[in-house]
Amino acid sequence: MLRYTLMRLGIFVGCLVVVWGAVYSGIAPRGLGSSNGLWIVALALIVSAPISLVALRKERDRASVQVAQRVDRMKANLDANRSQEDGADDGARAQGQTS
């Protein structure tokens, strides 16, 4: 997941540099007043999102498989812990009834 996040951040930074160059060279419109920095960041987000969607498809699928495996492993551990607690509770109750 870290690898995917870093790749996504890299694409955003690349788009930020390109958009910044385009705005300051006059190719893209400038923001209103002092909002130029926010305009550049917003435009870079808009441009980087579809690029990331297409370019990082395989990496996103790998990350989702890893997350799903981790969630399944955690669920299995929780179920195992619950069954151990139930067994210990049943044993304690059985001892309490016989004494």
Side-chain angles (χ1 to χ4, degrees):
M1 194 69 188
L2 178 65
R3 182 178 172 181
Y4 171 75
T5 302
L6 291 175
M7 292 172 78
R8 179 95 190 250
L9 185 63
I11 289 174
F12 170 72
V13 169
C15 288
L16 186 66
V17 169
V18 169
V19 167
W20 178 81
V23 167
Y24 281 100
S25 67
I27 296 171
R30 292 183 183 265
L32 297 174
S34 64
S35 69
N36 200 32
L38 183 62
W39 168 251
I40 292 172
V41 171
L43 198 55
L45 281 171
I46 291 169
V47 170
S48 70
I51 293 172
S52 295
L53 187 67
V54 173
L56 299 179
R57 180 169 291 157
K58 289 181 184 179
E59 192 62 37
R60 188 174 52 253
D61 290 343
R62 271 190 236 131
S64 70
V65 166
Q66 289 176 351
V67 168
Q69 288 173 347
R70 185 174 290 163
V71 167
D72 290 342
R73 201 170 45 241
M74 290 175 120
K75 284 181 181 178
N77 287 341
L78 281 173
D79 289 341
N81 288 341
R82 283 185 190 141
S83 66
Q84 286 177 348
E85 289 174 1
D86 290 344
D89 188 43
D90 292 342
R93 286 182 187 188
Q95 273 186 345
Q97 289 177 355
T98 58
S99 6

